[in-house]
Every structure is written in structure tokens, then in C-alpha cells.
Amino acid sequence: MTNQLDTCFAALSDPTRRAVVERLVSGPATVSELHQTHDIALPTFLRHLKVLEASGLVRSAKKGRVRTCHIEAAPLMEIQGWLEWQRRVWDRRLDRLSALASDIERNTQ
Amino acid sequence: MTNQLDTCFAALSDPTRRAVVERLVSGPATVSELHQTHDIALPTFLRHLKVLEASGLVRSAKKGRVRTCHIEAAPLMEIQGWLEWQRRVWDRRLDRLSALASDIERNTQ
DNA sequence: GCAATACTTAGCACTATGACTAACCAACTT
DNA sequence: AAGTTGGTTAGTCATAGTGCTAAGTATTGC
């Protein structure tokens, strides 16, 4: 069961790939444009792009000999959703704890 | 430069480890409690816990022979922050695009 | 003190990841 | 048509990650 969250989190665990995402949120770019700012061999960089595509975070299309990449919002939102869920549970727990604390305070007065 | 984001995203890319986080947001638990619900060998499971600790997402303390784990909110918030940042840039871009679209519409009328 | 409990360490196997080079293909340019 | 550009494939290497078993340590309970 290889989840979308699995591959997305994995994709974002690499600084090169996060940099690509950071670039793509402000608009599409070609492979060479993206590659320019990274000091690694092109084939290596391409593998990073493939990881991003496999995760669904990035899509691309080839026109002539140029491949243009753009970001896909949905997977990012899925991650946000997961985090939001954790935060909610966490917050509820803190609430319970502080409620408990005031209870104790009241009873000891 | 091994970033906190690197290790946190990597930690969360594994379903076993995400399950641990999901469990810990609702309160601390011991190693065996956490292990119970996972069908893997204890040493293997312990390595997952170590990955979580190394990332800063989980802290633990040993009392007697029992180790109790709890979650740390800060790293989760750092991830949320990064995502939020991407979303903001992305949204701004969409705004610019739709503004451009209405400009064109106006000019062609 | 002996046994059970709760981890912990060490070591092995296998797969996956991230880097490289070399060579290749396909589409523009001149 | 020949060369340049933009991307791709294939193959190698080293390291890191995930699973296991077996054996060890340190508390706790009887």
C-alpha cells in the first residue's frame, strides 16, 4: 500500500526537490531552466524531477524538444490536511489538559 | 547541510512512523504500547522511533526500564510553515493570472 | 536470587537512493 | 545536411534505509 503521502513526504525530504517545488509555485519552467540553479549533472537532476512526478507533486509535458514542468496543488493540500488533522488532535488534548488543570485548581482552593 | 525539514519529511514518509505520530498527538505512550499495534519486530520498530527522535518530531525519556515517548510540536509547525509559504506564493500567482485574464477580457470587449 | 519484562545492541540481507559518466535521440538553426 | 541544443537512457558505484534474528542489559516482581 504505497500511499500518496508516502511518496510526497519522501519527495519533499530532499533539498534539491524542495527547491524545485519552491521555484514551480511561482510558475511553470522547463527542465533546463530548473536545472540551471543546481550544481549537479543533468541526468541526476532529471531523476529528482521523476521522483517529483511520481509523487504527483509535479506534472510535465513535452513540446518539441522542450519539457515544461508545473506544480500540482492537490498533493500539497493532502499533506496540509494530514498536518492539520494532527494539530487538531493535539490541540484538543491540550484543551483537555488545561481543563483538567483548572478543575484541580478549583478543588484545591 | 542536513536541514530539519529534510529529516522531518523523511521521517514522515514512512507509514509506520506516521502512525506513531498519529498516536502520539493524542498523548504520550511507552515503546511497547506503540509497538503493540505494529506487526514488525521490536528492534525494527525501535529504529523507526530513532528516526523520529533524530528528526526532532518525537522525544522520549526512560524511567526504570520503561521508555515513554511524546511528540514535539515545533517541527510539525515548521513543516506547516513551509507548506503555507508555498501556498501563499501559489495563490499570489493565481491572483495575478486572474487579474491578467480580466484585463484581457476588458480589452477585447 | 531467579524469572519475567522492557528495551537495546550487533550483525546480516536486500532494496532503494543519489551521485557520476558515456552514449544516444530528436528537434531546431544555420 | 551538419551542428547545436535539450533532454533521455543505460550502466556503475557508494551509501542509506528497512526488515530480520540472536543475544545482551537492566529493572521489576515473586
Side-chain angles (χ1 to χ4, degrees), chain B residues 49-91:
Chain B
L49 283 182
K50 280 207 178 131
V51 172
L52 284 166
E53 282 213 58
S55 78
L57 282 162
V58 166
R59 293 272 183 94
S60 74
K62 203 168 178 178
K63 196 170 187 181
R65 64 186 163 175
V66 178
R67 179 174 294 278
T68 303
C69 305
H70 64 91
I71 209 160
E72 198 66 36
L76 282 176
M77 310 241 279
E78 196 180 335
I79 297 182
Q80 275 201 313
W82 186 83
L83 287 171
E84 193 50 42
W85 171 37
Q86 305 318 313
R87 226 175 76 87
R88 245 192 274 279
V89 178
W90 165 265
D91 284 349

Short mmCIF file of all heavy atoms in Angstrom, two decimals, chain B residues 49-91:
data_model
loop_
_atom_site.label_atom_id
_atom_site.label_comp_id
_atom_site.label_asym_id
_atom_site.label_seq_id
_atom_site.Cartn_x
_atom_site.Cartn_y
_atom_site.Cartn_z
N LEU B 49 11.49 4.55 15.66
CA LEU B 49 11.41 5.55 16.72
C LEU B 49 12.66 6.43 16.74
O LEU B 49 12.57 7.64 16.94
CB LEU B 49 11.24 4.87 18.09
CG LEU B 49 9.85 4.36 18.42
CD1 LEU B 49 9.83 3.77 19.83
CD2 LEU B 49 8.80 5.46 18.30
N LYS B 50 13.80 5.82 16.50
CA LYS B 50 15.05 6.59 16.49
C LYS B 50 15.06 7.61 15.37
O LYS B 50 15.55 8.73 15.54
CB LYS B 50 16.25 5.65 16.37
CG LYS B 50 16.62 5.01 17.70
CD LYS B 50 18.09 4.64 17.78
CE LYS B 50 18.39 4.04 19.16
NZ LYS B 50 19.15 2.78 19.07
N VAL B 51 14.52 7.21 14.22
CA VAL B 51 14.43 8.14 13.10
C VAL B 51 13.56 9.33 13.51
O VAL B 51 13.90 10.49 13.26
CB VAL B 51 13.85 7.45 11.86
CG1 VAL B 51 13.56 8.46 10.76
CG2 VAL B 51 14.81 6.38 11.36
N LEU B 52 12.44 9.04 14.16
CA LEU B 52 11.55 10.10 14.61
C LEU B 52 12.25 11.01 15.62
O LEU B 52 12.11 12.23 15.57
CB LEU B 52 10.28 9.51 15.22
CG LEU B 52 9.27 8.96 14.21
CD1 LEU B 52 8.21 8.10 14.89
CD2 LEU B 52 8.60 10.10 13.44
N GLU B 53 13.00 10.41 16.54
CA GLU B 53 13.70 11.22 17.52
C GLU B 53 14.79 12.07 16.87
O GLU B 53 14.95 13.24 17.20
CB GLU B 53 14.34 10.31 18.59
CG GLU B 53 13.33 9.83 19.61
CD GLU B 53 13.96 9.66 21.00
OE1 GLU B 53 14.51 10.65 21.54
OE2 GLU B 53 13.92 8.55 21.53
N ALA B 54 15.52 11.46 15.93
CA ALA B 54 16.59 12.19 15.24
C ALA B 54 16.03 13.41 14.51
O ALA B 54 16.70 14.44 14.41
CB ALA B 54 17.31 11.26 14.27
N SER B 55 14.80 13.29 14.03
CA SER B 55 14.19 14.39 13.30
C SER B 55 13.67 15.47 14.25
O SER B 55 13.33 16.57 13.82
CB SER B 55 13.03 13.88 12.46
OG SER B 55 11.89 13.67 13.27
N GLY B 56 13.57 15.15 15.52
CA GLY B 56 13.06 16.11 16.49
C GLY B 56 11.56 16.03 16.67
O GLY B 56 10.99 16.73 17.50
N LEU B 57 10.90 15.16 15.87
CA LEU B 57 9.44 15.08 15.95
C LEU B 57 8.99 14.41 17.24
O LEU B 57 7.88 14.64 17.72
CB LEU B 57 8.89 14.29 14.76
CG LEU B 57 8.80 15.05 13.43
CD1 LEU B 57 8.68 14.08 12.27
CD2 LEU B 57 7.61 15.99 13.45
N VAL B 58 9.84 13.55 17.77
CA VAL B 58 9.48 12.81 18.98
C VAL B 58 10.60 12.93 20.00
O VAL B 58 11.78 12.96 19.62
CB VAL B 58 9.22 11.31 18.63
CG1 VAL B 58 9.19 10.46 19.88
CG2 VAL B 58 7.91 11.16 17.86
N ARG B 59 10.23 13.04 21.24
CA ARG B 59 11.20 13.00 22.34
C ARG B 59 10.83 11.83 23.24
O ARG B 59 9.68 11.40 23.27
CB ARG B 59 11.14 14.29 23.17
CG ARG B 59 11.60 15.53 22.43
CD ARG B 59 13.10 15.72 22.57
NE ARG B 59 13.50 16.96 21.90
CZ ARG B 59 13.62 18.13 22.53
NH1 ARG B 59 13.40 18.20 23.84
NH2 ARG B 59 13.96 19.22 21.87
N SER B 60 11.81 11.36 24.00
CA SER B 60 11.50 10.26 24.90
C SER B 60 12.39 10.32 26.13
O SER B 60 13.46 10.92 26.10
CB SER B 60 11.67 8.93 24.19
OG SER B 60 13.04 8.64 24.03
N ALA B 61 11.92 9.69 27.18
CA ALA B 61 12.71 9.64 28.41
C ALA B 61 12.51 8.27 29.04
O ALA B 61 11.42 7.70 28.97
CB ALA B 61 12.26 10.73 29.36
N LYS B 62 13.57 7.76 29.65
CA LYS B 62 13.49 6.44 30.23
C LYS B 62 13.37 6.57 31.75
O LYS B 62 14.11 7.33 32.38
CB LYS B 62 14.73 5.63 29.88
CG LYS B 62 14.49 4.14 29.95
CD LYS B 62 15.62 3.37 29.32
CE LYS B 62 15.36 1.87 29.47
NZ LYS B 62 16.41 1.07 28.83
N LYS B 63 12.43 5.82 32.29
CA LYS B 63 12.26 5.80 33.74
C LYS B 63 12.21 4.33 34.12
O LYS B 63 11.33 3.62 33.67
CB LYS B 63 10.95 6.51 34.11
CG LYS B 63 10.87 6.87 35.58
CD LYS B 63 9.68 7.79 35.86
CE LYS B 63 9.73 8.29 37.31
NZ LYS B 63 8.58 9.16 37.64
N GLY B 64 13.19 3.89 34.90
CA GLY B 64 13.30 2.46 35.16
C GLY B 64 13.60 1.77 33.86
O GLY B 64 14.51 2.19 33.13
N ARG B 65 12.83 0.76 33.53
CA ARG B 65 13.10 0.06 32.26
C ARG B 65 12.14 0.48 31.16
O ARG B 65 12.14 -0.09 30.08
CB ARG B 65 13.04 -1.46 32.49
CG ARG B 65 11.69 -1.92 32.88
CD ARG B 65 11.64 -3.40 33.27
NE ARG B 65 10.41 -3.65 34.00
CZ ARG B 65 10.02 -4.85 34.38
NH1 ARG B 65 10.75 -5.90 34.15
NH2 ARG B 65 8.89 -5.00 35.03
N VAL B 66 11.30 1.46 31.46
CA VAL B 66 10.27 1.88 30.50
C VAL B 66 10.62 3.22 29.85
O VAL B 66 10.94 4.19 30.55
CB VAL B 66 8.91 2.01 31.22
CG1 VAL B 66 7.86 2.51 30.24
CG2 VAL B 66 8.51 0.68 31.83
N ARG B 67 10.58 3.24 28.54
CA ARG B 67 10.80 4.49 27.82
C ARG B 67 9.47 5.06 27.35
O ARG B 67 8.68 4.36 26.72
CB ARG B 67 11.72 4.24 26.62
CG ARG B 67 11.99 5.50 25.79
CD ARG B 67 13.02 5.26 24.71
NE ARG B 67 14.34 4.97 25.25
CZ ARG B 67 15.19 5.91 25.66
NH1 ARG B 67 14.86 7.20 25.55
NH2 ARG B 67 16.36 5.56 26.16
N THR B 68 9.24 6.29 27.72
CA THR B 68 7.98 6.95 27.33
C THR B 68 8.26 8.02 26.27
O THR B 68 9.19 8.81 26.42
CB THR B 68 7.32 7.59 28.56
OG1 THR B 68 7.11 6.59 29.55
CG2 THR B 68 5.98 8.21 28.18
N CYS B 69 7.45 8.01 25.23
CA CYS B 69 7.64 8.93 24.11
C CYS B 69 6.53 9.96 24.06
O CYS B 69 5.39 9.67 24.40
CB CYS B 69 7.61 8.15 22.79
SG CYS B 69 8.80 6.81 22.73
N HIS B 70 6.89 11.14 23.64
CA HIS B 70 5.86 12.16 23.39
C HIS B 70 6.26 12.96 22.17
O HIS B 70 7.43 13.00 21.78
CB HIS B 70 5.69 13.06 24.61
CG HIS B 70 6.90 13.87 24.93
ND1 HIS B 70 7.11 15.12 24.42
CD2 HIS B 70 8.00 13.59 25.67
CE1 HIS B 70 8.26 15.59 24.86
NE2 HIS B 70 8.83 14.68 25.62
N ILE B 71 5.27 13.62 21.59
CA ILE B 71 5.52 14.36 20.36
C ILE B 71 6.00 15.77 20.66
O ILE B 71 5.75 16.30 21.75
CB ILE B 71 4.25 14.38 19.48
CG1 ILE B 71 4.67 14.46 18.03
CG2 ILE B 71 3.35 15.54 19.87
CD1 ILE B 71 3.59 14.02 17.12
N GLU B 72 6.71 16.33 19.71
CA GLU B 72 7.20 17.70 19.83
C GLU B 72 6.51 18.52 18.74
O GLU B 72 6.59 18.18 17.55
CB GLU B 72 8.71 17.68 19.63
CG GLU B 72 9.46 18.87 20.13
CD GLU B 72 9.40 19.01 21.65
OE1 GLU B 72 9.42 17.98 22.35
OE2 GLU B 72 9.31 20.16 22.12
N ALA B 73 5.86 19.60 19.13
CA ALA B 73 5.04 20.34 18.16
C ALA B 73 5.89 21.14 17.17
O ALA B 73 5.54 21.23 15.99
CB ALA B 73 4.08 21.26 18.89
N ALA B 74 6.99 21.69 17.62
CA ALA B 74 7.76 22.64 16.81
C ALA B 74 8.07 22.15 15.38
O ALA B 74 7.80 22.89 14.42
CB ALA B 74 9.03 23.04 17.53
N PRO B 75 8.63 20.96 15.22
CA PRO B 75 8.97 20.53 13.85
C PRO B 75 7.74 20.43 12.95
O PRO B 75 7.80 20.77 11.77
CB PRO B 75 9.59 19.15 14.05
CG PRO B 75 10.00 19.10 15.47
CD PRO B 75 9.05 19.96 16.22
N LEU B 76 6.63 19.97 13.51
CA LEU B 76 5.39 19.90 12.72
C LEU B 76 5.00 21.29 12.24
O LEU B 76 4.58 21.47 11.10
CB LEU B 76 4.26 19.29 13.56
CG LEU B 76 4.27 17.78 13.74
CD1 LEU B 76 3.15 17.33 14.66
CD2 LEU B 76 4.14 17.07 12.39
N MET B 77 5.18 22.26 13.14
CA MET B 77 4.83 23.63 12.76
C MET B 77 5.78 24.16 11.68
O MET B 77 5.37 24.93 10.82
CB MET B 77 4.90 24.54 13.98
CG MET B 77 4.13 23.98 15.17
SD MET B 77 2.80 25.03 15.70
CE MET B 77 3.70 26.23 16.67
N GLU B 78 7.05 23.73 11.75
CA GLU B 78 7.99 24.18 10.73
C GLU B 78 7.55 23.68 9.35
O GLU B 78 7.58 24.44 8.37
CB GLU B 78 9.40 23.68 11.04
CG GLU B 78 10.45 24.45 10.25
CD GLU B 78 11.86 23.97 10.54
OE1 GLU B 78 12.10 23.43 11.64
OE2 GLU B 78 12.72 24.14 9.65
N ILE B 79 7.12 22.43 9.29
CA ILE B 79 6.63 21.89 8.03
C ILE B 79 5.39 22.66 7.57
O ILE B 79 5.29 23.07 6.42
CB ILE B 79 6.28 20.40 8.18
CG1 ILE B 79 7.53 19.59 8.51
CG2 ILE B 79 5.64 19.86 6.90
CD1 ILE B 79 7.28 18.12 8.63
N GLN B 80 4.48 22.87 8.51
CA GLN B 80 3.27 23.64 8.17
C GLN B 80 3.67 25.00 7.61
O GLN B 80 3.07 25.48 6.65
CB GLN B 80 2.39 23.81 9.41
CG GLN B 80 1.47 22.63 9.65
CD GLN B 80 0.29 23.01 10.53
OE1 GLN B 80 0.47 23.65 11.56
NE2 GLN B 80 -0.90 22.62 10.13
N GLY B 81 4.66 25.61 8.24
CA GLY B 81 5.12 26.92 7.78
C GLY B 81 5.62 26.87 6.35
O GLY B 81 5.27 27.72 5.54
N TRP B 82 6.40 25.86 6.05
CA TRP B 82 6.95 25.75 4.69
C TRP B 82 5.82 25.60 3.68
O TRP B 82 5.78 26.28 2.66
CB TRP B 82 7.90 24.55 4.60
CG TRP B 82 8.60 24.45 3.28
CD1 TRP B 82 9.73 25.12 2.91
CD2 TRP B 82 8.21 23.66 2.16
NE1 TRP B 82 10.07 24.78 1.62
CE2 TRP B 82 9.16 23.89 1.13
CE3 TRP B 82 7.16 22.77 1.93
CZ2 TRP B 82 9.07 23.26 -0.10
CZ3 TRP B 82 7.07 22.17 0.69
CH2 TRP B 82 8.03 22.41 -0.32
N LEU B 83 4.87 24.72 4.00
CA LEU B 83 3.73 24.49 3.10
C LEU B 83 2.92 25.77 2.92
O LEU B 83 2.50 26.10 1.81
CB LEU B 83 2.84 23.38 3.65
CG LEU B 83 3.40 21.97 3.55
CD1 LEU B 83 2.53 21.00 4.32
CD2 LEU B 83 3.51 21.54 2.09
N GLU B 84 2.72 26.45 4.02
CA GLU B 84 1.93 27.68 3.99
C GLU B 84 2.59 28.71 3.07
O GLU B 84 1.93 29.37 2.28
CB GLU B 84 1.83 28.24 5.42
CG GLU B 84 0.79 29.33 5.59
CD GLU B 84 -0.57 28.92 5.02
OE1 GLU B 84 -1.00 27.76 5.21
OE2 GLU B 84 -1.18 29.78 4.35
N TRP B 85 3.90 28.77 3.16
CA TRP B 85 4.67 29.68 2.33
C TRP B 85 4.45 29.34 0.85
O TRP B 85 4.18 30.23 0.03
CB TRP B 85 6.15 29.59 2.72
CG TRP B 85 7.08 30.30 1.81
CD1 TRP B 85 6.86 31.50 1.17
CD2 TRP B 85 8.40 29.89 1.41
NE1 TRP B 85 7.95 31.83 0.42
CE2 TRP B 85 8.91 30.87 0.54
CE3 TRP B 85 9.19 28.78 1.71
CZ2 TRP B 85 10.18 30.77 -0.03
CZ3 TRP B 85 10.46 28.69 1.14
CH2 TRP B 85 10.93 29.68 0.28
N GLN B 86 4.58 28.06 0.51
CA GLN B 86 4.37 27.66 -0.89
C GLN B 86 2.98 28.05 -1.35
O GLN B 86 2.78 28.56 -2.45
CB GLN B 86 4.56 26.14 -1.08
CG GLN B 86 5.88 25.59 -0.59
CD GLN B 86 7.05 26.46 -0.93
OE1 GLN B 86 7.19 26.90 -2.07
NE2 GLN B 86 7.91 26.75 0.04
N ARG B 87 2.00 27.79 -0.49
CA ARG B 87 0.62 28.08 -0.85
C ARG B 87 0.41 29.57 -1.11
O ARG B 87 -0.32 29.96 -2.01
CB ARG B 87 -0.32 27.61 0.27
CG ARG B 87 -1.53 26.84 -0.25
CD ARG B 87 -2.34 26.33 0.91
NE ARG B 87 -3.11 27.38 1.51
CZ ARG B 87 -4.33 27.73 1.10
NH1 ARG B 87 -4.90 27.11 0.10
NH2 ARG B 87 -4.98 28.69 1.72
N ARG B 88 1.07 30.38 -0.29
CA ARG B 88 0.93 31.82 -0.45
C ARG B 88 1.46 32.26 -1.81
O ARG B 88 0.80 32.99 -2.55
CB ARG B 88 1.70 32.55 0.66
CG ARG B 88 0.78 33.33 1.57
CD ARG B 88 1.57 34.27 2.45
NE ARG B 88 2.05 33.60 3.68
CZ ARG B 88 1.28 33.43 4.74
NH1 ARG B 88 0.04 33.83 4.76
NH2 ARG B 88 1.77 32.84 5.82
N VAL B 89 2.66 31.81 -2.15
CA VAL B 89 3.25 32.17 -3.44
C VAL B 89 2.34 31.70 -4.58
O VAL B 89 2.05 32.44 -5.51
CB VAL B 89 4.65 31.54 -3.60
CG1 VAL B 89 5.22 31.88 -4.96
CG2 VAL B 89 5.58 32.01 -2.49
N TRP B 90 1.89 30.47 -4.46
CA TRP B 90 0.99 29.86 -5.44
C TRP B 90 -0.28 30.69 -5.61
O TRP B 90 -0.71 31.00 -6.73
CB TRP B 90 0.67 28.44 -4.99
CG TRP B 90 -0.48 27.77 -5.66
CD1 TRP B 90 -1.76 27.74 -5.21
CD2 TRP B 90 -0.47 27.05 -6.89
NE1 TRP B 90 -2.55 27.02 -6.07
CE2 TRP B 90 -1.78 26.58 -7.12
CE3 TRP B 90 0.53 26.74 -7.82
CZ2 TRP B 90 -2.11 25.83 -8.23
CZ3 TRP B 90 0.19 25.99 -8.93
CH2 TRP B 90 -1.11 25.55 -9.13
N ASP B 91 -0.88 31.08 -4.48
CA ASP B 91 -2.12 31.87 -4.52
C ASP B 91 -1.88 33.23 -5.18
O ASP B 91 -2.69 33.67 -5.99
CB ASP B 91 -2.66 32.10 -3.10
CG ASP B 91 -3.33 30.84 -2.56
OD1 ASP B 91 -3.55 29.91 -3.34
OD2 ASP B 91 -3.63 30.81 -1.34
#
